[in-house]
Amino acid sequence: MTQFIIICVYLALLLILGVVTSRMFKGTAADYFLASRGIGSFLLLMSLFGTTMTAFALVGSTGESFREGIGVYGMMASWSGIVHSACFFLVGIKLWSFGKRFGYTTQIEFFRDRFESDKLGIVLFPILVGLIVPYLLIGVMAAGVTIERSTGGAFPNIFAGHGVGPAAIPAGAIPFWLGSAGICLVVLIYVFFGGVRGTAWANAFQTIVFIVLGIVTFSVISDKLGGAKAATEMVLKDNPHVMRRTVREDDPLTRYHGDQKVYQKKMTAWESKPEDERGPKPDEVHKPEGISPLHFLSYMFIPLSVGMFPHIFQHWLTAKSAKSFKLSVIAHPLLIMLVWVPCVLIGAWATSAVIEGKPVIPYGFSNPNAVLVKMVSTLTSDGLGGLLTAGILAAIMSSLDSQFLCIGSMFTNDIVAHYAGRDRFTDQQKVLCGRVFVVLIVAGTYALAQLRPGSVFTLGVWCFSGFASLFPLVFAAVYWKRATRAGAYACVLTAAACWWWLFAKSGYGAGAQFLFMGMMPVATIVGASTAALILVSLATKPPSAETVERFFPRRK
Amino acid sequence: MRIFVYFLIVLLAIVHQDFWWWDTEKPLIGGVVPIGLAYHALVSLAAAIFWGLAAKYCWPHDLDDDDAITAGNEGAAS
């Protein structure tokens, strides 16, 4: 019940913030979609950081560290620090400038103009929307599951428990359909009334919440484990491989062997049953193998996705001035460090933490993404558990809101206004149209999430890869005069074809650790799309002098 | 200075591949943080400093002119 009350208080605060920010709304389309291009340095930093850091930053970083060790920080966090800031500095400021000069609201408007092709928008639109939808689903589903798992016992007379084993839902828990509906409704309200300004303020609040709670959680957990030094010593004794990126022959691998024992027991029980009574076969235990240097290096391509995320583009355009970007460029790597280092350490400690002779994370615990929540629920109070749940929801919602609004903006501007004629609609009609699309998208995502397509979680990294594969397009668009319309089509189609080919080769996302030539598939796709862009551009007619002068003016 | 700052950032991307700490957890910084993690936290810190230098010495001043442009172009995209 405590956790439920804390979640309710948190959501109520968000709604109040939504109401306050909606009073700043000026009633114009430019204000709804772009906050009248008036967002200053601090809000821009918070909204960019909150949008790029999903729930993965809290629960995923802990889970991956638990599974693979501290090397995940170098693969995911420090690369992101370097590359995200590069995207903000080298691409974001330029796009902001074009947006302000030529009145763009969406990426597709820019690409249509830069590459002198209306149809390029038709090719890009389904790809961009198609890559965002799985993300939305992941967010809504993660929110529903988080609430369901953290509110057990709140309403035992209304909601019955169900399921068995680690996946069991305790009696009284807010069911998935209701929890996810609540989150969708709260996000919908502040996006509907406040537009992008509402999301910027909500993101600022939520980002502060999850940064602070991450640090508090770290401090309390290390205290409960007898101090940070004691927690690290337990790891060095039992599972030292998670503190480096290799596995040695003489490593004790205590967790792996403990997991194996549980697995053998489960297998024996599974095999002893008649075939028609057997449930699903128990999952095999992941054997630590270390991280290869090539695998580690190829992660550098993943954060390039930030350069092509439509929702990040929209946030860039909200900036008040070019100078507003400075704080984001500098502070973004620091904020990543602040969130990731404590979570990665908690994940490593979780492999070996023992209290009163019992492992805090029991052997056979098969869901790495639940490690942080398990650590908190075992080692801390209900109050901190509730606050951490609020922090996880904050991280989820701070990405969801921008994505909902951005798809609404794309439908309104790239489809309805573009094809019906911009002058046909008044500003109020465009705002209404944007709001209607946001409602439809939220409702559609909620309905799809109720089907609970489990495989959607494995699609996350493929979505990132898809956006990263299109990065050469945006980079060439702002820096290479010679990039042509045909080159742009070649880049997009090659990225799509190559992405699909590797996606199929991975068993449609079934292999969570799928590597191609020892690297993340994104490395190959980015290479192919870049080559296609360059070769086809050089072989085709250059853009018109008018376009070159427009996007590459000779400055005084 | 501009070229030097970009050189530093490229250098940071190169030394990100820290094969020299690959197979060791020691030294432990403060007796807690393994060197492989501490080094990459330092990379994040260096990224903030180097991008700060870029914001100072490589800033696209020509784009500052755009600050003066009013939002009069809204909806002008074709």
Side-chain angles (χ1 to χ4, degrees), chain A residues 37 73-74 78-79 82 96-97 100-101 103 113 229 232 236 244-246 248 291 293 322 330 337 422 555, chain B residues 6 16-18 22-23 25 28 30 32 34 40-41 44 48 51-52 59 62 66-67 69 73-75 77-78:
Chain A
R37 303 184 200 270
Y73 183 91
S78 57
W79 264 135
I82 299 171
W96 166 83
S97 162
K100 187 147 188 176
R101 273 191 275 154
D113 272 8
K229 277 188 184 175
T232 296
L236 293 178
R244 49 179 138 81
R245 280 160 279 179
T246 53
R248 298 177 193 156
I291 300 167
I330 298 166
M337 182 177 76
R422 276 179 194 281
R555 300 263 181 171
Chain B
Y6 281 129
H16 181 279
Q17 191 73 3
D18 58 330
W22 217 269
D23 188 31
E25 62 275 24
L28 289 171
V32 176
H40 279 280
S44 298
W51 281 115
W59 188 253
D62 53 338
D66 293 334
D67 293 354
I69 298 173
N73 285 327
E74 299 308 338
S78 54

Side-chain angles (χ1 to χ4, degrees), chain A residues 30 34 37 70 73-74 77-79 81-82 85-86 89-90 93-94 96-97 100-104 109 112-113 228-229 232 236 240 243-246 248 291-294 296-297 320-323 325-326 329-330 333-334 337 341 344-345 349 418 422 555, chain B residues 6 9 12-14 16-19 21-26 28 30-37 39-45 47-49 51-56 58-78:
Chain A
L34 300 173
R37 303 184 200 270
I70 53 95
Y73 183 91
S78 57
W79 264 135
I82 299 171
S85 286
F89 187 72
L90 300 173
I93 300 174
K94 282 263 188 191
W96 166 83
S97 162
K100 187 147 188 176
R101 273 191 275 154
F102 307 132
Y104 298 133
E109 289 172 342
R112 275 176 166 151
D113 272 8
K229 277 188 184 175
T232 296
L236 293 178
M243 293 300 213
R244 49 179 138 81
R245 280 160 279 179
T246 53
R248 298 177 193 156
I291 300 167
S292 82
L294 196 57
F296 187 85
L297 179 66
K320 194 175 190 173
S321 68
K323 290 189 183 78
F325 281 82
K326 280 189 180 175
V329 168
I330 298 166
L334 294 178
M337 182 177 76
V341 169
V344 166
L345 268 178
W349 290 345
H418 182 77
R422 276 179 194 281
R555 300 263 181 171
Chain B
Y6 281 129
I9 292 167
L12 184 66
I14 293 169
H16 181 279
Q17 191 73 3
D18 58 330
F19 54 86
W21 302 126
W22 217 269
D23 188 31
T24 181
E25 62 275 24
K26 290 179 178 166
L28 289 171
V32 176
V33 187
I35 187 65
L37 178 58
Y39 176 82
H40 279 280
L42 199 67
V43 167
S44 298
L45 195 64
I49 294 169
W51 281 115
L53 291 175
K56 185 170 172 61
C58 314
W59 188 253
H61 289 290
D62 53 338
L63 299 186
D64 288 343
D65 301 343
D66 293 334
D67 293 354
I69 298 173
T70 60
N73 285 327
E74 299 308 338
S78 54

Side-chain angles (χ1 to χ4, degrees), chain A residues 272-547:
Chain A
S272 66
K273 285 181 184 170
E275 272 189 34
D276 53 342
E277 287 178 22
R278 287 176 184 172
K281 198 175 175 182
D283 291 334
E284 283 185 26
V285 177
H286 166 72
K287 184 170 187 188
E289 289 173 348
I291 300 167
S292 82
L294 196 57
H295 182 195
F296 187 85
L297 179 66
S298 63
Y299 257 90
M300 71 179 286
F301 293 101
I302 297 277
L304 288 175
S305 51
V306 159
M308 269 303 291
F309 280 146
H311 46 289
I312 294 290
F313 180 92
Q314 191 167 5
H315 277 300
W316 283 340
L317 294 199
T318 64
K320 194 175 190 173
S321 68
K323 290 189 183 78
S324 305
F325 281 82
K326 280 189 180 175
L327 186 62
S328 298
V329 168
I330 298 166
H332 192 81
L334 294 178
L335 292 185
I336 291 178
M337 182 177 76
L338 217 53
V339 172
W340 275 72
V341 169
C343 290
V344 166
L345 268 178
I346 291 175
W349 290 345
T351 59
S352 317
V354 174
I355 298 274
E356 294 168 1
K358 280 188 182 172
V360 176
I361 304 295
Y363 293 125
F365 193 83
S366 59
N367 181 6
N369 286 338
V371 165
L372 181 62
V373 175
K374 180 75 179 166
M375 288 285 275
V376 169
S377 62
T378 309
L379 296 174
T380 70
S381 61
D382 269 3
L384 186 60
L387 287 172
L388 180 72
T389 306
I392 293 170
L393 291 176
I396 293 170
M397 293 162 82
S398 63
S399 302
L400 265 185
D401 53 11
S402 303
Q403 290 161 343
F404 280 137
L405 182 67
C406 150
I407 299 190
S409 172
M410 287 166 71
F411 269 108
T412 306
N413 294 290
D414 296 331
I415 303 293
V416 178
H418 182 77
Y419 290 107
R422 276 179 194 281
D423 300 332
R424 195 170 156 184
F425 298 105
T426 64
D427 241 18
Q428 284 71 24
Q429 284 172 325
K430 278 189 200 165
V431 173
L432 179 66
C433 186
R435 284 175 163 166
V436 168
F437 274 119
V438 169
V439 173
L440 291 176
I441 292 152
V442 173
T445 309
Y446 173 74
L448 273 177
Q450 300 315 301
L451 303 173
R452 300 180 84 158
S455 57
V456 81
F457 284 99
T458 60
L459 292 183
V461 74
W462 285 97
C463 295
F464 268 107
S465 302
F467 284 113
S469 312
L470 294 171
F471 179 79
L473 181 72
V474 71
F475 193 78
V478 295
Y479 284 104
W480 193 33
K481 290 179 194 178
R482 192 64 180 76
T484 68
R485 177 195 315 171
Y489 278 105
C491 176
V492 174
L493 296 176
T494 304
C498 205
W499 184 92
W500 185 258
W501 175 61
L502 288 170
F503 183 55
K505 213 172 161 57
S506 76
Y508 299 97
Q513 292 296 311
F514 176 75
L515 298 179
F516 183 67
M517 295 192 295
M519 297 181 289
M520 295 294 287
V522 65
T524 307
I525 312 174
V526 170
S529 65
T530 306
L533 173 73
I534 294 172
L535 294 175
V536 175
S537 288
L538 290 175
T540 51
K541 196 179 148 197
S544 69
E546 189 194 344
T547 295

